[in-house]
């Protein structure tokens, strides 16, 4: 076909692969083989990561998909296919496995390397095309076998396939290392922020802090007013509506800053609770909920009109001499986060509570107001640098993914490695494989069904 590199040929997967083969009916049924459910295949690496379950073949022959070493298994159901649950079977117990019926199995007839085929199928753009071919009801949509069978693959000579796979392995190892290092930055930025806050809490962040010894006060001394929210029976507010009264959810309260989201409408037959209105400069603290949501503290940097506090949160209005932003930063420091964890009550991680008495009894360091503002400015500056670093790391991760896709595209266009004129042309190889399969004895029939599964 025109446009293909020399020695390449266009072929369908039906020509190249045997689909959904069965194990040999004459095999010893007492042999232990791997059982591979869908969760055993990792969607990030495209590998079978759990081969711990081994069962006698006789127990799992019926009702499951058969495959063997070097077969390619392709998750056909949503969202597993879209997520990339496609793997080459390797190092199976006795070379065999049975697994989820939601796998298509592709066994090379000899003209295509399993690893070459696997990389072709796992390409993001191929999975996107496969998604459009899905049939069935919502949540149970599947890629039909016919879609795979009619898929056209530009096939290089067999030796060139192996060289392409080896090159991709080398490049993928480098990109995997890059991903690992870039992913660490997200954790490192969080630790750096905590280190900055810890210095602020201990009085070592600014020169003014180091020059003035802080006093220690209970939170109750800094509070002008503490209010617990209210819980009406509510409906969701339309995103475009800002005129209706609404009650925030606890998930709208995030550490450090606050932008209202997931608001709820106050029913029209109930009067607005004016004393619960949230205003700019308020401090909010989630007082109840699961462990990860209980004790989250934020400063209200901006808010929408007619927004009220929910019953699972406290609203604090502080005295003028305690800067609200600095207070929230202290509340998110490692030292106070540990203390908040200690005062939580409740039976389990899904239902904890912080009482007003325990919360207001916590002690915090206090410096003059101008020192607090210096700390806020320095922390904001440090956080901005950290956030820029994290954003650059995220962009770099995206570029690595794009680079991987571009590399795969080059590989399947024949542009990744030099060609070798001594390789057997793919067309000759394919013709030979066709002839061998045509001359092979027909598959046996046994009490378990046909050997080829077709």
């Amino acid at each position: 076909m025109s446009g293909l590199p020399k020695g390449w040929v266009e072929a369908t997967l039906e020509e190249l692969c045997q689909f959904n083969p069965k194990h040999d009916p004459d095999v010893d049924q007492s042999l232990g083989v791997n059982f591979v459910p869908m969760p055993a295949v990792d969607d990030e690496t495209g590998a079978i990561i759990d081969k711990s379950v081994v069962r006698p073949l006789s127990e799992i022959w019926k009702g499951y998909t058969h495959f063997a070493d070097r077969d390619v298994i392709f998750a056909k159901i949503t969202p597993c296919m879209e997520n990339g649950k496609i793997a080459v079977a390797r190092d199976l117990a006795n070379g065999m496995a049975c697994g989820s019926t939601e796998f298509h199995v592709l066994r090379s007839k000899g003209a295509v390397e399993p690893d070459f085929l696997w990389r072709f199928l796992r390409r993001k753009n191929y999975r996107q095309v496969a998604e459009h071919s899905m049939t069935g009801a919502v949540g149970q949509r599947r890629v039909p076998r016919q879609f795979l069978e009619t898929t056209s693959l530009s096939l290089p000579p067999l030796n060139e396939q192996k060289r392409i796979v080896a090159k991709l392995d080398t490049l993928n190892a480098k990109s995997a290392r890059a991903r690992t290092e870039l992913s660490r930055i997200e954790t490192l930025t969080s630790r750096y922020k905590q280190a900055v806050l810890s210095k602020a809490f201990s009085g070592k962040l600014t020169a003014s802090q180091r020059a003035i010894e802080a006093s220690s006060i209970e939170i109750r001394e800094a509070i002008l007013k503490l209010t617990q929210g209210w819980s009406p029976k509510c409906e969701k507010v339309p995103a475009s509506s800002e005129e209706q009264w609404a009650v925030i959810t606890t998930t709208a309260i995030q550490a450090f800053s606050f932008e209202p989201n997931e608001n709820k409408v106050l029913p029209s037959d109930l009067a607005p609770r004016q004393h619960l209105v949230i205003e700019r400069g308020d401090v909010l603290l989630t007082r109840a909920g699961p462990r990860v949501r209980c004790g989250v503290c934020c400063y209200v940097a901006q808010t929408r009109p007619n927004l009220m506090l929910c019953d699972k949160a406290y609203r604090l209005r502080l005295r003028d001499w305690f800067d609200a932003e600095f207070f929230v930063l202290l509340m998110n420091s490692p030292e106070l986060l540990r203390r908040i964890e200690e005062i939580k009550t409740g039976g389990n991680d899904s239902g904890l509570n912080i009482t007003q008495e325990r919360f207001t009894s916590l002690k915090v360091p206090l410096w003059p107001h101008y020192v607090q503002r210096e700390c806020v400015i320095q922390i904001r500056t440090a956080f901005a640098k950290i956030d820029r670093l994290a954003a650059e790391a995220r962009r770099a991760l995206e570029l690595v993914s794009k680079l991987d896709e571009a590399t795969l595209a080059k590989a399947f266009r024949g542009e990744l490695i030099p060609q070798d004129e001594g390789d057997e042309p793919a067309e000759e190889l394919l013709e030979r494989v066709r002839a061998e399969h045509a001359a092979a004895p027909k598959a046996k029939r046994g009490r378990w069904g046909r050997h080829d599964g077709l």
Side-chain angles (χ1 to χ4, degrees):
M1 180 179 289
S2 61
L4 289 176
K6 186 178 179 180
W8 289 42
V9 68
E10 202 78 22
T12 65
L13 296 190
E14 186 175 27
E15 295 177 281
L16 298 172
C17 299
Q18 184 182 3
F19 278 78
N20 303 328
K22 291 287 186 181
H23 295 314
D24 189 331
D26 294 332
V27 71
D28 183 355
Q29 299 291 312
S30 66
L31 287 175
V33 302
N34 286 118
F35 178 70
V36 182
M38 188 65 71
V41 179
D42 183 64
D43 51 14
E44 289 190 15
T45 61
I48 301 173
I49 57 172
D50 184 1
K51 289 181 283 206
S52 60
V53 181
V54 177
R55 297 183 187 175
L57 182 56
S58 59
E59 291 184 5
I60 51 177
W61 186 292
K62 288 186 176 181
Y64 296 103
T65 299
H66 294 197
F67 54 95
D69 280 336
R70 289 178 56 81
D71 286 349
V72 177
I73 57 175
F74 182 100
K76 58 188 174 184
I77 193 168
T78 188
C80 300
M81 187 282 297
E82 298 95 310
N83 292 341
K85 285 182 176 281
I86 304 165
V88 179
R90 308 179 194 277
D91 303 319
L92 300 174
N94 288 302
M96 293 180 288
C98 293
S100 170
T101 58
E102 298 298 351
F103 289 124
H104 286 305
V105 178
L106 293 80
R107 178 173 296 170
S108 173
K109 295 177 180 178
V112 63
E113 273 291 301
D115 286 292
F116 185 82
L117 175 61
W118 171 72
R119 282 168 174 78
F120 175 82
L121 296 175
R122 282 204 88 230
R123 291 174 305 145
K124 185 176 181 180
N125 59 353
Y126 181 79
R127 284 181 277 138
Q128 289 172 340
V129 174
E131 182 181 1
H132 292 302
S133 78
M134 284 181 159
T135 59
V138 175
Q140 293 293 316
R141 300 177 69 241
R142 295 173 174 85
V143 176
R145 170 172 157 173
Q146 184 183 16
F147 171 79
L148 289 172
E149 290 176 333
T150 57
T151 291
S152 183
L153 170 65
S154 297
L155 186 71
L158 194 60
N159 285 335
E160 187 172 347
Q161 293 178 43
K162 294 176 181 178
R163 293 196 300 274
I164 289 172
V165 167
K167 182 66 173 180
L168 288 173
D169 282 343
T170 300
L171 296 175
N172 288 343
K174 292 179 180 179
S175 62
R177 286 196 296 272
R179 279 196 188 86
T180 299
E181 295 304 315
L182 289 169
S183 297
R184 288 180 64 241
I185 292 177
E186 196 72 31
T187 302
L188 292 174
T189 54
S190 176
R191 290 177 183 172
Y192 186 26
K193 284 185 176 182
Q194 290 299 303
V196 172
L197 293 175
S198 188
K199 288 185 72 174
F201 183 89
S202 61
K204 300 175 182 178
L205 183 64
T206 67
S208 296
Q209 268 193 311
R210 293 189 290 272
I212 301 174
E213 186 176 352
S215 57
S216 179
I217 65 167
E218 291 186 350
I219 288 177
R220 70 175 84 251
E221 298 176 59
I223 294 175
L224 182 64
K225 187 175 183 180
L226 187 152
T227 309
Q228 181 174 322
W230 172 70
S231 178
K233 293 180 180 179
C234 309
E235 299 173 351
K236 287 284 182 181
V237 64
S240 61
S241 174
E242 295 187 355
E243 297 79 24
Q244 297 168 299
W245 282 91
V247 178
I248 66 164
T249 62
T250 56
T251 53
I253 300 174
Q254 301 292 334
F256 304 122
S257 64
F258 173 68
E259 294 182 8
N261 58 51
E262 300 185 48
N263 300 330
K264 295 182 177 181
V265 174
L266 180 68
S268 59
D269 59 341
L270 295 173
R273 267 56 174 175
Q274 296 286 354
H275 67 288
L276 297 176
V277 174
I278 296 171
E279 297 178 357
R280 186 181 183 280
D282 285 346
V283 173
L284 305 182
L285 177 85
T286 56
R287 66 162 190 84
R291 185 174 298 277
V292 294
R293 292 297 310 148
C294 182
V296 178
C297 186
C298 78
Y299 171 77
V300 180
Q302 58 183 346
T303 186
R304 51 155 283 182
N306 303 343
L307 184 62
M308 297 190 301
L309 192 65
C310 65
D311 70 321
K312 292 185 177 181
Y314 295 135
R315 184 197 63 199
L316 286 68
R317 289 180 176 165
L318 303 180
R319 299 186 184 279
D320 291 343
W321 43 266
F322 210 130
D323 186 86
E325 286 187 78
F326 184 66
F327 178 84
V328 168
L329 291 168
L330 286 182
M331 292 300 295
N332 284 282
S333 67
E335 292 78 6
L336 269 172
L337 287 175
R338 283 194 293 270
R339 294 184 194 176
I340 290 171
E341 195 64 34
E342 292 170 358
I343 66 172
K344 293 177 182 178
T345 60
N348 53 61
D349 284 355
S350 62
L352 297 176
N353 184 58
I354 298 174
T355 66
Q356 288 190 30
E357 177 61 30
R358 289 192 172 205
F359 171 66
T360 58
S361 296
L362 290 175
K363 289 190 174 182
V364 292
L366 177 66
W367 289 271
H369 192 271
Y370 77 91
V371 176
Q372 298 174 42
R373 288 310 302 169
E374 283 182 7
C375 287
V376 169
I377 293 169
Q378 189 152 331
I379 291 170
R380 279 182 172 179
T381 301
F383 278 17
K385 291 180 180 178
I386 296 169
D387 289 338
R388 284 196 296 271
L389 177 62
E392 289 171 5
R394 287 192 294 272
R395 285 194 293 270
L397 271 172
E398 292 174 4
L399 288 175
V400 170
S401 296
K402 290 179 180 178
L403 178 61
D404 285 346
E405 286 295 316
T407 301
L408 282 172
K410 287 186 68 174
F412 291 103
R413 290 196 304 265
E415 301 171 0
L416 186 64
I417 60 171
Q419 291 185 277
D420 186 339
E421 294 185 359
D423 289 341
E424 178 187 19
E427 187 171 12
E428 292 180 13
L429 170 65
L430 187 57
E431 286 298 328
R432 180 161 51 80
V433 167
R434 286 170 180 156
E436 289 173 358
H437 274 262
K442 291 185 178 180
K444 298 178 182 179
R445 289 183 179 270
R447 62 190 183 95
W448 299 107
R450 291 177 58 185
H451 176 54
D452 61 6
L454 300 178

